[in-house]
Amino acid sequence: MNSQPFGPGSPKSFLAYPRGDFDLESGTFRKPRKPKNSDPGIIRMIKSLRNRIQYFYKLHPLAVFLLSLCFGLTILLVLSIYESRFRTMISQNGELGLGLNSYPLANLQNLVMVAGHSIYTSANCGKIDKEDSWFLEPYQKHPGQAATFVAHIKDGVEAVAKDERALLLFSGGETRKDAGPRSEAQSYWAVAESKGWFGWQDNVRSRALTEEHARDSFENLLFSVCRFRELTGTYPQNITVISYDFKEERFAHLHRSAIGFPESRFSFHGTPTTPDSKEAAMKGEALVRAQFEEDPYGCLGSLHKKRLKRDPFHRVIPYPHGCPELKGLFSYCGSAPYPGTLPWLS
């Protein structure tokens, strides 16, 4: 017996039977079958489909073109629908990720609106109670008229000073061409600033802003509500309007009813006009009130023409971008009350 150990020098192993399958009938060995690869089958399928499409295109080129066109239009339609929904979502919620803390005055709940009636044109802020410091219409040129504007400003400041949850808005646009591109709202804010906010600067100044697009009393109210929404993220719980006392019926009944704001949450504070202008003011107010009774939203006839006249610099009104819930109200025009849903009634 050979006791030589197996190792590198040992004889090579002998295969008694070759690798493969032995066929008993033929007495031969067959090579093992290799597993089929699935990739060539898929490739052949793709090539076959491509050839069929090419063949169909040669036979019916117009049909292939129309099918491709329909497919492309369908994709565009689907994308446009999703884009429209995306834009609507942004318009309703502001910028993506906009939270409550993103609004500069999110802690305020009540609105105090001072309606503007003139534009301050003097370069000297020390003459605020002088008529020649203001741009006055012929019907406003009476002694003491400037003092009535200052009284409105002061009353607005004092009202907000008493309510720490209130926002003061001076409302009025660039309504006079000869006064230049200056707004009534900015004029009132500048007067309050020059007077040191009548002793309430630390309390009120940070809560006093402007609405600079209104062209009449209805827009004073509606635009200020929208401006409140822009600054706080919500709509006012309570509204106080400051203007001339003879305009109470117009604001507290006609305009308030037109926007559907609850009477129990609306208040009006009026100050008297000058003695010399009282009679003419009452007659003029009766005429304007009758016009708003027929056209509550001021979108027809003489009221609409007056708005156009009071926009000499063609300012683009940004609303209702900042208050999307009021989009229907802003576009509504009719003699009947607005039939849509309002956020302060829901």
Side-chain angles (χ1 to χ4, degrees), residues 12-314:
K12 294 183 178 179
S13 61
F14 172 73
L15 295 176
Y17 300 98
R19 293 180 180 178
D21 297 332
F22 181 75
D23 190 346
L24 294 176
E25 294 182 0
S26 63
T28 60
F29 288 92
R30 291 179 299 181
K31 294 182 178 180
R33 295 181 180 180
K34 295 182 179 180
K36 292 184 178 181
N37 191 347
S38 59
D39 290 341
I42 295 177
I43 294 175
R44 285 197 300 269
M45 186 184 301
I46 295 174
K47 289 182 178 180
S48 176
L49 180 61
R50 183 190 64 184
N51 292 335
R52 290 183 181 183
I53 293 175
Q54 289 178 345
Y55 179 73
F56 184 79
Y57 176 73
K58 290 179 180 179
L59 292 178
H60 308 285
L62 182 59
V64 173
F65 171 76
L66 292 176
L67 287 173
S68 302
L69 181 62
C70 291
F71 179 76
L73 291 176
T74 302
I75 295 297
L76 289 176
L77 179 61
V78 171
L79 291 176
S80 65
I81 292 174
Y82 276 96
E83 181 187 15
S84 176
R85 291 181 179 178
F86 183 72
R87 289 181 180 275
T88 301
M89 180 182 67
I90 292 179
S91 66
Q92 291 178 347
N93 299 291
E95 297 180 0
L96 291 177
L98 190 64
L100 183 63
N101 295 330
S102 298
Y103 293 97
L105 298 170
N107 61 315
L108 302 184
Q109 296 179 342
N110 302 319
L111 168 63
V112 175
M113 186 273 286
V114 176
H117 296 284
S118 186
I119 296 172
Y120 191 77
T121 56
S122 175
N124 184 358
C125 290
K127 301 171 59 180
I128 61 174
D129 57 347
K130 304 297 182 182
E131 277 66 43
D132 58 2
S133 297
W134 296 80
F135 185 88
L136 302 178
E137 296 289 351
Y139 65 86
Q140 293 178 311
K141 294 181 179 180
H142 298 281
Q145 188 72 39
T148 64
F149 305 148
V150 179
H152 292 160
I153 299 169
K154 182 179 180 182
D155 286 354
V157 171
E158 292 178 346
V160 172
K162 297 175 183 177
D163 182 2
E164 62 181 11
R165 305 301 297 273
L167 169 66
L168 173 60
L169 285 179
F170 297 115
S171 174
E174 299 170 359
T175 56
R176 306 292 189 267
K177 182 178 180 179
D178 292 340
R182 313 180 194 186
S183 70
E184 296 172 353
Q186 277 291 339
S187 296
Y188 280 36
W189 193 95
V191 168
E193 180 81 352
S194 70
K195 296 294 290 184
W197 298 90
F198 304 94
W200 297 100
Q201 178 167 335
D202 294 340
N203 187 328
V204 173
R205 189 178 187 274
S206 62
R207 294 184 286 130
L209 287 94
T210 60
E211 184 293 302
E212 301 185 55
H213 296 278
R215 299 164 294 182
D216 61 24
S217 55
F218 177 73
E219 289 187 344
N220 284 138
L221 179 59
L222 179 60
F223 289 7
S224 293
V225 170
C226 187
R227 183 76 173 117
F228 187 95
R229 166 70 167 82
E230 289 180 336
L231 294 166
T232 67
T234 60
Y235 291 96
Q237 291 292 320
N238 300 284
I239 297 177
T240 299
V241 172
I242 296 175
S243 184
Y244 289 111
D245 52 7
F246 61 82
K247 293 188 177 185
E248 181 173 3
E249 176 68 14
R250 192 201 307 187
F251 275 106
H253 178 66
L254 295 178
H255 297 340
R256 181 197 58 77
S257 298
I259 69 170
F261 198 82
E263 184 177 6
S264 60
R265 293 158 51 189
F266 188 95
S267 61
F268 181 87
H269 178 74
T271 63
T273 186
T274 62
D276 293 344
S277 64
K278 184 175 182 179
E279 183 178 355
M282 295 296 291
K283 290 181 180 179
E285 176 61 19
L287 175 61
V288 175
R289 192 164 57 241
Q291 292 172 340
F292 272 111
E293 287 174 351
E294 295 182 2
D295 181 17
Y297 300 92
C299 52
L300 302 170
S302 58
L303 292 176
H304 178 65
K305 292 179 181 178
K306 185 184 294 185
R307 285 180 182 172
L308 297 179
K309 183 179 179 181
R310 289 182 175 177
D311 184 22
F313 304 108
H314 291 200

